[in-house]
Amino acid sequence: MQEDKIYEYAVIRLVPKVEREEFFNIGLVMFSKKEKFIRVEFYLCPDKFRLMHSKLDYDDVIHNLESFQKIANGDKEGGPIALMDIPERFRWLTAVRSSSIQTSRPHPGKSKDLEKTFGKLFEELVK
């Protein structure tokens, strides 16, 4: 029998007007220290983005989200933060910030299959 793996996840949010503190979910970051697992995925619906009447540029937001992925994946194009170990990358990605891309507080969980759990959370919280 496969044992449960402990993980943490945070929802990635787009905050089109930071001063109004309104947001919508656009992605997920999940991490498991013991399993040396980290994954970031995002989905930003262009139609929903336009409804927010923000001064943000869609392509700029996508570029920043791609940077999140590069950092999570340890891609050297993600800069020096991407070269940190997995727990440090997760903590940096989920640090409190007052920018247009923010994350929820990390939430813990247990799973026998991290990829399957990631997919389920992504569908429930983002799509």
Side-chain angles (χ1 to χ4, degrees):
M1 183 164 71
Q2 199 176 36
E3 75 176 50
D4 283 336
K5 299 165 177 79
I6 296 172
Y7 67 88
E8 293 179 66
Y9 75 92
V11 178
I12 301 169
R13 303 168 170 165
L14 181 65
V15 186
K17 296 179 181 177
V18 176
E19 66 278 5
R20 291 181 57 166
E21 297 183 0
E22 298 172 342
F23 66 86
F24 61 99
N25 297 345
I26 59 169
L28 188 72
V29 55
M30 181 188 270
F31 149 76
S32 174
K33 183 176 181 178
K34 186 176 179 187
E35 301 302 315
K36 297 182 176 158
F37 174 92
I38 188 167
R39 181 173 170 193
V40 169
E41 293 294 331
F42 64 88
Y43 174 73
L44 180 56
C45 175
D47 294 332
K48 192 171 186 179
F49 180 83
R50 282 193 292 279
L51 290 173
M52 296 305 288
H53 301 290
S54 171
K55 293 180 182 175
L56 296 175
D57 179 77
Y58 181 84
D59 292 329
D60 287 345
V61 173
I62 293 295
H63 176 74
N64 288 331
L65 291 167
E66 289 169 346
S67 294
F68 258 53
Q69 280 184 315
K70 288 177 183 175
I71 289 168
N73 294 338
D75 184 331
K76 64 182 175 185
E77 290 181 25
I81 296 161
L83 303 178
M84 295 176 175
D85 66 12
I86 291 172
E88 289 174 313
R89 283 184 265 153
F90 180 76
R91 297 292 170 232
W92 187 89
L93 290 169
T94 59
V96 175
R97 52 180 56 92
S98 61
S99 63
S100 58
I101 298 176
Q102 300 179 10
T103 62
S104 68
R105 294 183 188 271
H107 305 280
K110 289 182 180 181
S111 172
K112 294 193 185 315
D113 183 334
L114 294 173
E115 289 291 345
K116 186 175 180 180
T117 300
F118 184 96
K120 181 180 177 203
L121 288 170
F122 191 82
E123 283 297 317
E124 289 176 7
L125 301 171
V126 179
K127 286 262 179 140

